[in-house]
Amino acid sequence: MSELTTLSLTTAMQGLEKGDFSAVELTQAFVDTIEASNGALNAYVVQTPEQALSMAADSDARRKSGQAGRLDGAPIGVKDLYCTKGVRTTACSNILGEFTPTYESTVTQNLWDAGAVMLGKLNMDEFAMGSSNETSRFGPPSNPWRRGGSNAALTAGGSSGGSATAVAADLCLAATASDTGGSIRQPAAFTGTVGIKPTYGRASRWGMVAFASSLDQAGPIAKSVTDAALLTEIMCSHDDKDSTSLNVETPDWVSEVEKGVKGMKIGVPKEYRVDGMPQEIEDLWQQGIDWLKAMGAEIVDVSLPHTKYALPAYYIVAPAEASSNLARYDGMRYGAREDGDGLIGTYEGTRGEGFGAEVQRRLMIGTYVLSSGYYDAYYLRAQKVRTRILQDFQIVFQDVDALLTPTCPSAAFAYGEKTDDPVQMYLNDIFTVTANLAGLPGISVPAGVDNDGLPLGLQVIGKALDEAACFRVAGAIENAAGFAAKPEKWW
Amino acid sequence: MSERPTYTLTGDTGTWEVVLGLEVHAQVSSNAKLFSGASTQFGSEPNQNVSLVDAAMPGMLPVINKFCVEQAVRTGLGLNAQINKTSRFDRKNYFYPDLPQGYQISQFEHPIVGEGEIEVDVEPSHGDPAYAFSVRIERLHLEQDAGKSIHDMDPTATYVDLNRSGVALMEIVSKPDIRSPLEAASYVKKLKSIVVALGTCDGDMEKGNLRADVNVSICKPGAYEKFRETGDFGHLGTRCEIKNMNSFRFIQAAIEYEARRQIEIVEGGGSVDQETRLYDPDKGETRSMRSKEDAHDYRYFPDPDLLPLEIDDAFIEGIRVNLPELPDQKRTRFETDYGLSRYDAGVLTADAESADFYETVAKGRDPKLAANWVTQELFGYLNKAELELTESPVSAEQLGGLIDLISGDVISGKIAKDVFQRMIDGEGDPADIVEKHGLKQVTDTGAIESIVDEVIAANPDQAAAVKEKPKSMGWFVGQVMKASGGKANPQAVNKILREKLGL
């Protein structure tokens, strides 16, 4: 039944509705595939086959009694950032040890309330800090994609590398992910999948292990724009338990996907044409522009003059918030603890052993930029930059409906290629951090492959709360690109 | 009301003054914590009142308790202070096991309440009369309390109780307007009376829900006035902060010790280090807790989990119109309606129980007489017996009955004191006591006349002498009263004596 795993979420839901197969059959297919493939791909860090099959059986019962939800019976993978009741949650950090929450995050609860089935917890960069998933305590997942004629293992991007890998390799119908600076969109681009970061505040952060509170946002990685729209609708909700959650209705986004772009005005920001960007990405971007034009959209050149300050501002704000958010991991109440000499020794032992090098680097940066005497020069200034970046977008969005950019300045890269130089790694986020800093929705949609046959993504950034425009434009690109390439199975 | 005296200490080089600013932490009266729904019940088993948020479990987020915001606004209004319609919560970052988040959520730059001012009454002390002075409030902000570290349960380990973790505190910061240990204690008393009247803090200092940090510095006479003119702290000495005191007595003793310590340092040619100190009530001294160099870098920044706190005029007005009568308003009313002195009115309105007790006693009676009996006799007794008003053996109704007996000339003021003592001893209602012991005043002039005649007849020499020295008539009054067993009406005795002695 392995062909069941290749279905999209939407077609699988249709199959379940028609009774072509049961949720248990569908789930069993994924359980089997994960068992066979996860050793090579390392997408899942916790597998929950028994829970999955039990949830699937419940789903079948509900469907039989006519009470099926919108995702009833759909096997989903969950990024290890989401706290899942009774299932180990560590954000792929040693410091959380064997931490097993007694509570369920709002986003995953929304999925289970809609009938979805949990397959397990997906690999990620430690505390979502990374762009290649190489900082995970469990080692990185392997990108199912490889360069033509090469056996070199590539990263699936990060931090949601496990989610992207699982979706691309058919180890789940779709996956939850999270995006602080591009952690949904970049892995989606690297794996030929669709990933959207909704407007900040659309999805509750309650029960998500925090990285940078003002930037973190939940979203899905899926096989198609429609699948992404469906999952986003279920994941988003107003939540009284999250003070930054927006009290807004979640609209019907699925119906937006096929509406087309006729009459839409799409901006192309010149600042995203950066030095050293591969020609293939330039060409793909142009291709995207041409497609949209051909489908009746108006293309406008626009300027977002403060874009160049986005990355440095991001790498001040995010570590600053992280340095405070991660202070709770002190070995006192839960997670791993390394006893040392006295209280300070125990703190040092626990945090020194528990946090990996990249997390420690960011905690140091964050502590530094918030310290007395440096706060104004770094944190406060970065917040001012952030305001400017938001203003850039607001001005441009008075004139255009959405923006089109590449998702990343490169295709998937090899392990170790950027780990020696953190700045090179950080540069991978250059096109994605702006949407986080401004709180805007951004979607990555696969639009083609490079000369090595690796997938490349285009990004659509929308106005605040206008995910609808993102889905329309991404849907149009998906149709035009007809992206059907699948990785050649090597695992 | 008297002039404000200057409190001074004498060192080897002359006179010193003290300058004090207080930070009072008042636990907000609220059933739930500031950012979680956990209970604030005092005396629960350790770690019973701890939510996922209080324990800082991964992914947990704070949500502001609206009632605590109301309480802060209510308190701000009671302090005659500016209410800030936009305020913000910041994180104060430091590591300690009783601080699960690794940061305290507080308000650093933008507190919910800004500047205000209160009048503080100082009781008579050491021969100085009562006086009042005003203290400017700098700000009031909301913040989370930390948990409790328990170091003495195990020789090698510290235990942590998170019941208090996340409980809402109001930190009320004064300007350096306080100039003596007694003033500092009086200020805290006043704050306590305000928050208790408002119902925003229980004010129970023994339970730690009202605690004070005192900033102490010393200066030479004249320097403080220059500071007030210019706002330049350079005119004042280096300050030390004495942390976490929960009794009026400790506050006064600690300040006095600390001021003398600083004087000794400065006069010895040294300089005072800015530091945080703790008061040890057993030794009666302060000791260093941490120096400025060791001070934490708290890395304050706006809490990104919380939006700025916005409140509107309607919210503030809704609270304002429902404010209870505050101690100051009540005192003014007592002064006007009952004709009491400011001091007596202040004593009687220091807390709601006293005021209610007095108003019951004074109802339909001579208000001044009632005030005297409540403040002098009853409070005097309670103080000596170390009893709270709620434990008084004499009820307001009973005391009112006693006053009725005095006003109705049934007993004299002097007899009334005996009756009062019997009431304290549990003999019951005053009228019954008077009846039972035959203490009714003799107003029958015939009866008094015969006693007077007897006394004059028995003392012919004194009767002759008193004509030369009319002032000594008091001796005859005493004799007559004695002979009547204290029951003769003193006015009648005076009148009749005057007639019979021909004065």
Side-chain angles (χ1 to χ4, degrees):
Chain A
M1 290 244 257
S2 73
E3 71 278 6
L4 286 182
T5 62
T6 63
L7 297 173
S8 72
L9 173 62
T10 309
T11 49
M13 292 316 300
Q14 288 161 357
L16 285 165
E17 270 159 44
K18 285 191 286 183
D20 292 350
F21 45 84
S22 68
V24 168
E25 286 170 317
L26 181 62
T27 302
Q28 189 63 56
F30 279 106
V31 167
D32 294 345
T33 308
I34 293 166
E35 201 180 319
S37 308
N38 199 56
L41 294 170
N42 198 26
Y44 285 88
V45 296
V46 178
Q47 296 172 34
T48 54
E50 285 171 17
Q51 185 173 342
L53 288 165
S54 149
M55 290 172 90
D58 291 347
S59 168
D60 285 331
R62 280 193 300 270
R63 194 171 292 283
K64 216 173 238 172
S65 63
Q67 293 170 329
R70 292 185 70 198
L71 288 179
D72 230 298
I76 302 287
V78 175
K79 188 177 180 178
D80 199 30
L81 191 85
Y82 292 87
C83 289
T84 40
K85 189 172 179 175
V87 177
R88 189 187 68 193
T89 302
T90 65
C92 292
S93 176
N94 278 317
I95 206 157
L96 273 156
E98 295 300 307
F99 176 68
T100 303
T102 58
Y103 48 92
E104 187 76 32
S105 82
T106 299
V107 164
T108 47
Q109 188 61 52
N110 287 346
L111 295 176
W112 317 142
D113 288 348
V117 167
M118 180 168 82
L119 291 168
K121 304 300 286 289
L122 293 164
N123 210 340
M124 58 183 280
D125 277 299
E126 182 181 7
F127 284 108
M129 296 181 195
S131 304
S132 64
N133 214 144
E134 286 167 281
T135 69
S136 165
R137 94 186 228 198
F138 303 104
S142 276
N143 194 328
W145 293 83
R146 290 186 169 175
R147 292 179 185 126
S150 162
N151 284 327
L154 302 178
T155 80
S159 66
S160 311
S163 304
T165 299
V167 174
D170 297 324
L171 302 189
C172 57
L173 282 179
T176 70
S178 73
D179 192 315
T180 305
S183 284
I184 289 175
R185 291 159 288 161
Q186 182 251 28
F190 280 14
T191 55
T193 55
V194 177
I196 176 166
K197 178 200 92 70
T199 306
Y200 181 80
R202 272 280 194 200
S204 170
R205 292 185 296 112
W206 193 88
M208 280 171 79
V209 175
F211 163 12
S213 309
S214 73
L215 302 161
D216 294 347
Q217 190 57 209
I221 291 179
K223 295 183 185 179
S224 73
V225 178
T226 303
D227 285 3
L230 173 59
L231 208 52
T232 312
E233 281 184 31
I234 306 296
M235 290 170 75
C236 291
S237 64
H238 172 62
D239 186 0
D240 288 333
K241 291 185 286 189
D242 174 359
S243 307
T244 62
S245 163
L246 296 169
N247 194 358
V248 291
E249 289 292 310
T250 303
D252 170 4
W253 286 316
V254 172
S255 67
E256 296 290 335
V257 178
E258 294 299 329
K259 278 189 181 166
V261 292
K262 199 166 190 321
M264 285 183 86
K265 246 177 154 180
I266 309 295
V268 177
K270 66 176 184 194
E271 288 78 9
Y272 284 61
R273 243 173 257 287
V274 294
D275 288 344
M277 189 157 76
Q279 188 59 43
E280 297 151 293
I281 290 178
E282 288 266 6
D283 292 346
L284 182 80
W285 193 5
Q286 189 54 49
Q287 178 63 257
I289 292 167
D290 293 344
W291 283 330
L292 294 176
K293 234 188 245 175
M295 289 183 282
E298 185 188 344
I299 303 297
V300 191
D301 286 326
V302 297
S303 173
L304 299 163
H306 296 91
T307 301
K308 65 181 169 200
Y309 303 115
L311 200 63
Y314 172 83
Y315 274 97
I316 288 170
V317 173
E321 293 182 8
S323 73
S324 179
N325 282 336
L326 271 59
R328 64 187 57 200
Y329 307 110
D330 58 3
M332 296 296 149
R333 298 170 307 288
Y334 49 79
R337 169 172 177 155
E338 201 65 45
D339 279 310
D341 188 13
L343 177 62
I344 301 294
T346 300
Y347 279 151
E348 287 173 353
T350 300
R351 292 169 64 85
E353 293 293 315
F355 291 135
E358 181 60 26
V359 171
Q360 290 190 23
R361 181 179 0 260
R362 297 200 197 189
L363 297 186
M364 300 279 271
I365 292 170
T367 302
Y368 178 79
V369 299
L370 288 177
S371 59
S372 158
Y374 297 95
Y375 178 82
D376 289 0
Y378 291 103
Y379 187 77
L380 206 58
R381 208 170 173 81
Q383 289 293 17
K384 285 179 182 161
V385 167
R386 199 172 170 179
T387 306
R388 290 301 180 89
I389 287 167
L390 176 61
Q391 285 167 349
D392 280 356
F393 278 115
Q394 286 168 336
I395 291 166
V396 164
F397 278 131
Q398 285 174 2
D399 194 40
V400 304
D401 300 308
L403 297 167
L404 184 72
T405 78
T407 307
C408 301
S410 74
F413 47 86
Y415 290 133
E417 210 172 286
K418 294 176 194 279
T419 40
D420 292 342
D421 184 352
V423 175
Q424 275 306 306
M425 188 70 87
Y426 298 168
L427 279 169
N428 221 265
D429 303 335
I430 192 157
F431 300 145
T432 47
V433 295
T434 50
N436 298 86
L437 288 170
L440 303 174
I443 188 169
S444 177
V445 55
V449 292
D450 71 358
N451 293 336
D452 292 321
L454 293 179
L456 297 171
L458 286 175
Q459 173 179 233
V460 182
I461 300 174
K463 297 173 191 174
L465 295 176
D466 194 9
E467 285 82 358
C470 295
F471 286 120
R472 277 176 76 181
V473 177
I477 292 171
E478 185 179 51
N479 277 336
F483 185 89
K486 293 288 275 183
E488 201 175 312
K489 195 166 179 224
W490 52 263
W491 58 92
Chain B
M1 193 80 0
S2 305
E3 284 273 302
R4 183 180 186 184
T6 305
Y7 173 82
T8 56
L9 290 166
T10 310
D12 295 338
T13 62
T15 300
W16 293 89
E17 295 179 9
V18 298
V19 179
L20 308 166
L22 271 71
E23 291 164 23
V24 172
H25 290 89
Q27 183 183 322
V28 175
S29 292
S30 159
N31 293 328
K33 296 182 178 183
L34 183 54
F35 295 110
S36 84
S39 162
T40 59
Q41 179 83 45
F42 181 81
S44 302
E45 286 294 299
N47 294 310
Q48 288 306 293
N49 303 336
V50 184
S51 75
L52 296 169
V53 175
D54 306 321
M57 301 305 277
M60 290 302 100
L61 298 170
V63 176
I64 186 80
N65 177 343
K66 193 180 164 195
F67 181 68
C68 293
V69 174
E70 278 179 36
Q71 292 287 58
V73 170
R74 197 168 284 126
T75 308
L77 293 171
L79 299 175
N80 311 303
Q82 167 77 34
I83 307 300
N84 293 326
K85 283 190 248 174
T86 300
S87 63
R88 203 178 68 192
F89 287 100
D90 301 285
R91 292 185 183 177
K92 179 179 178 178
N93 295 281
Y94 66 95
F95 285 91
Y96 206 67
D98 62 21
L99 187 75
Q101 293 168 134
Y103 54 84
Q104 177 196 33
I105 305 178
S106 182
Q107 297 190 300
F108 182 53
E109 264 188 79
H110 302 286
I112 184 161
V113 175
E115 294 190 347
E117 186 161 346
I118 59 170
E119 282 286 303
V120 175
D121 298 282
V122 184
E123 290 180 18
S125 168
H126 298 110
D128 284 330
Y131 66 97
F133 70 104
S134 67
V135 176
R136 294 168 302 158
I137 304 295
E138 186 166 302
R139 57 186 282 165
L140 174 154
H141 68 253
L142 280 167
E143 62 182 30
Q144 296 177 299
D145 204 347
K148 197 165 94 186
S149 293
I150 304 156
H151 301 288
D152 54 7
M153 269 175 72
D154 184 296
T156 59
T158 293
Y159 284 77
V160 174
D161 176 5
L162 296 179
N163 282 351
R164 236 172 52 192
S165 166
V167 164
L169 300 178
M170 297 180 284
E171 180 173 326
I172 303 166
V173 183
S174 83
K175 302 236 184 196
D177 291 359
I178 298 159
R179 305 299 316 283
S180 77
L182 181 61
E183 287 189 0
S186 304
Y187 166 72
V188 178
K189 264 182 207 165
K190 185 57 178 269
L191 278 186
K192 180 179 155 175
S193 75
I194 293 171
V195 293
V196 169
L198 290 167
T200 57
C201 170
D202 297 341
D204 192 331
M205 297 179 78
E206 271 174 35
K207 287 183 188 165
N209 61 28
L210 195 78
R211 330 192 269 271
D213 302 342
V214 185
N215 284 286
V216 181
S217 67
I218 52 163
C219 65
K220 283 288 186 184
Y224 180 75
E225 287 68 25
K226 277 186 197 148
F227 156 71
R228 286 299 293 263
E229 269 166 39
T230 59
D232 179 1
F233 280 89
H235 292 293
L236 305 179
T238 304
R239 68 191 161 85
C240 289
E241 183 178 20
I242 317 170
K243 280 278 191 204
N244 229 6
M245 287 175 290
N246 66 347
S247 102
F248 300 125
R249 202 155 49 82
F250 294 167
I251 290 171
Q252 295 191 66
I255 293 168
E256 201 166 324
Y257 175 88
E258 178 59 20
R260 290 198 187 279
R261 188 189 71 88
Q262 292 183 13
I263 291 167
E264 211 166 287
I265 290 171
V266 174
E267 292 191 332
S271 59
V272 174
D273 291 328
Q274 187 178 331
E275 59 181 1
T276 305
R277 301 180 68 84
L278 275 181
Y279 177 66
D280 180 341
D282 295 330
K283 293 188 179 151
E285 58 187 39
T286 64
R287 59 184 154 79
S288 183
M289 193 174 146
R290 55 173 181 263
S291 71
K292 194 184 179 189
E293 287 73 39
D294 300 334
H296 294 292
D297 182 347
Y298 289 120
R299 293 169 286 127
Y300 283 102
F301 77 110
D303 191 328
D305 286 333
L306 292 162
L307 301 172
L309 181 59
E310 308 272 359
I311 52 179
D312 57 20
D313 288 324
F315 181 81
I316 299 169
E317 288 315 308
I319 294 168
R320 195 195 301 274
V321 297
N322 290 313
L323 283 184
E325 187 179 35
L326 286 166
D328 277 357
Q329 294 166 336
K330 199 168 261 184
R331 187 187 58 206
T332 308
R333 180 165 68 77
F334 277 26
E335 286 179 73
T336 352
D337 291 4
Y338 299 122
L340 302 186
S341 72
R342 185 189 156 97
Y343 177 72
D344 279 349
V347 171
L348 288 170
T349 54
D351 57 72
E353 287 83 30
S354 301
D356 291 347
F357 191 99
Y358 169 74
E359 295 210 86
T360 306
V361 176
K363 194 167 184 199
R365 304 191 174 99
D366 177 349
K368 284 187 190 169
L369 191 58
N372 282 340
W373 275 92
V374 173
T375 61
Q376 310 283 332
E377 303 304 326
L378 181 65
F379 288 2
Y381 162 74
L382 294 175
N383 269 338
K384 231 183 279 169
E386 293 186 4
L387 290 174
E388 294 295 321
L389 180 56
T390 48
E391 304 163 311
S392 169
V394 177
S395 72
E397 287 73 18
Q398 287 174 332
L399 190 58
L402 182 64
I403 289 166
D404 287 341
L405 295 176
I406 302 167
S407 303
D409 282 341
V410 177
I411 55 171
S412 68
K414 190 156 180 296
I415 291 288
K417 291 191 185 181
D418 296 339
V419 176
F420 181 69
Q421 183 58 49
R422 291 175 189 277
M423 289 160 74
I424 286 168
D425 296 341
E427 288 193 32
D429 284 334
D432 298 343
I433 295 170
V434 168
E435 195 62 48
K436 186 176 158 199
H437 296 280
L439 297 173
K440 247 186 204 163
Q441 184 163 251
V442 178
T443 46
D444 173 357
T445 45
I448 294 171
E449 265 178 42
S450 62
I451 298 172
V452 166
D453 289 340
E454 278 170 35
V455 170
I456 291 173
N459 300 286
D461 297 347
Q462 278 88 343
V466 79
K467 291 201 164 70
E468 305 301 314
K469 231 173 108 198
K471 272 185 186 163
S472 64
M473 191 189 85
W475 182 85
F476 276 98
V477 176
Q479 292 304 309
V480 174
M481 292 305 286
K482 201 171 157 189
S484 75
K487 291 184 285 184
N489 181 311
Q491 281 86 39
V493 172
N494 267 291
K495 188 166 172 271
I496 294 165
L497 265 174
R498 233 177 267 282
E499 286 167 8
K500 303 259 178 193
L501 290 171
L503 294 173

